[in-house]
Amino acid sequence: QLNGMDDALRNSIWNLLLRFYDSGAWGYISRIAGDGFFKFAVDKIPTGNDTARAWFRNLFFALPWNRVYDLVEFLCLKSPNVRGVSAESMRRSLNLVLERECSGYRFIGDILAPISDELEVVSVEDSLEKAGRLRFIGAAEHIRSSAQLLSQKPVPDYRNSMKEAISAVESVAKQLAGKTSG
């Protein structure tokens, strides 16, 4: 599922959000998402847990497929540690749901990007980790930019993503050669 989202996938994501934010967190989550993602006036966002959950549910199920992915990315960045759920734990759990429901997207770091298999996810995550650990800061930034361009929904920017990936390789080569050009 690269260009859409079936009901099973959308329901599975919603069910996971229910597990993440159950027991009183919906007023807080609705305020964060209502203000930062949906851009609503905060005094119009319900704060009671049950009312906020129903309000959020209606918005979630009305979103186009690509905006559901954007919302999930937003929630992982802006609402970690709500009810003891870390951003990393959220991303891991979401990746399991995405894989189980045959989504063409996975989290690579904090970016939800189109992926055709698990080896691609591991490869990009490994590249990011090694670039940072080995102090190839420029290469790490190019890899992140490449993943962001590739993850644009509904239309990925393949051309510029490839340019960023090539720039990552060039950055490492220049740093290893000790030359800023050539």
Side-chain angles (χ1 to χ4, degrees), residues 122-141:
V122 171
S123 177
V124 175
E125 285 178 341
D126 188 47
S127 297
L128 274 171
E129 187 273 324
K130 284 181 181 171
R133 184 169 34 89
L134 298 173
R135 303 211 194 301
F136 293 120
I137 307 304
E141 189 54 41

Side-chain angles (χ1 to χ4, degrees), residues 46-59:
T47 55
N49 192 58
D50 291 338
T51 308
R53 185 183 63 239
W55 176 84
F56 194 91
R57 183 186 196 290
N58 287 335
L59 291 172

Side-chain angles (χ1 to χ4, degrees), residues 99-171:
E99 182 177 0
R100 182 187 74 216
E101 299 300 334
C102 300
S103 168
Y105 291 85
R106 300 289 186 282
F107 274 98
I108 299 174
D110 58 358
I111 299 167
L112 195 54
I115 292 297
S116 62
D117 64 41
E118 196 59 35
L119 288 176
E120 289 181 15
V121 175
V122 171
S123 177
V124 175
E125 285 178 341
D126 188 47
S127 297
L128 274 171
E129 187 273 324
K130 284 181 181 171
R133 184 169 34 89
L134 298 173
R135 303 211 194 301
F136 293 120
I137 307 304
E141 189 54 41
H142 286 298
I143 293 168
R144 264 194 236 43
S145 294
S146 177
Q148 285 174 332
L149 291 165
L150 190 61
S151 71
Q152 289 179 358
K153 298 170 264 323
V155 181
D157 187 348
Y158 295 114
R159 181 183 175 124
N160 286 318
S161 176
M162 290 302 297
K163 287 179 184 179
E164 287 293 331
I166 292 166
S167 293
V169 174
E170 289 174 345
S171 175

